[in-house]
Amino acid sequence: MAFKTLDEFLGDSLDLPVKCLDGTVRTFHIQGPSAENGLKVEKLMETGMKLAASPEAEPDQDALDDLAELNLYEAALGDTYAELREHLDWPRFRHVALTAVVWISQGLDAAETFWNSDGTPSPQGPANREQRRASSRAAKSTPSRASRSGTSTPRVTGRARKAAQT
C-alpha cells in the first residue's frame, strides 16, 4: 500500500457562507495558515484550554508573549481578514474568526460543530493528547459494575461444585 499525496485528502482551506451587512450571502474562502501561524494559534488555544480547565494554573508565558505580537484572528483568517472586516458586523466576524481558530487547532469536524452550534458547542471530548490520556487513565481506574442489583455471586469452581453435589 502506498501513501496518497497529502493534497488528495487533506483540506487546506475553509469555505464559510455568511450573510453580510448588505444582506447578501457570500462564501468566504479562508486559506490554511502558514506553519508558523498555525503553530502559534494551536499553542494559544492549548494555553487557553489549560487555563479554562484549571484557573489556578500558571499561564504559559511564551504563548502569552506570542499573543502580544500576533493578532489571533488575523493569523487564523489570513488574506480574508480585511475582506471580512469590511463586510461583516462584529458578531459575524467573531464567529467566522473563531471557527477558523477551531479549524486550525482541532480540525474540520470540530470547526463544523462550532459553526453550526451558534458558537456555543456542547462540551467535546478532550482536545489535546495530555487531556485524552488523563481521560483514558480515569476511565481505566473506574471500577466496572459487576451487578446492577448491587449484589455479587461468587464464582463456583469445579471443586466447589463437586463438594456441593456430595
Side-chain angles (χ1 to χ4, degrees), residues 36-85:
E36 182 179 354
N37 280 349
L39 289 168
K40 287 180 181 180
V41 168
E42 216 169 74
K43 188 173 183 180
L44 288 169
M45 286 298 291
E46 263 186 47
T47 299
M49 290 171 70
K50 283 179 185 175
L51 289 173
S54 179
E56 68 278 352
E58 195 64 32
D60 181 345
Q61 221 37 59
D62 290 337
L64 296 178
D65 289 345
D66 285 344
L67 181 60
E69 70 183 56
L70 172 77
N71 179 330
L72 180 63
Y73 292 167
E74 223 171 338
L77 297 171
D79 295 339
T80 314
Y81 178 83
E83 183 183 6
L84 288 163
R85 284 192 52 190

Side-chain angles (χ1 to χ4, degrees), residues 130-166:
E130 179 183 334
Q131 291 172 327
R132 285 192 305 268
R133 286 181 180 162
S135 175
S136 177
R137 281 192 300 272
K140 288 177 185 173
S141 68
T142 303
S144 60
R145 295 178 61 175
S147 169
R148 291 183 179 242
S149 67
T151 62
S152 64
T153 306
R155 290 188 62 165
V156 178
T157 63
R159 194 175 304 160
R161 200 176 289 130
K162 199 177 240 187
Q165 291 173 353
T166 57

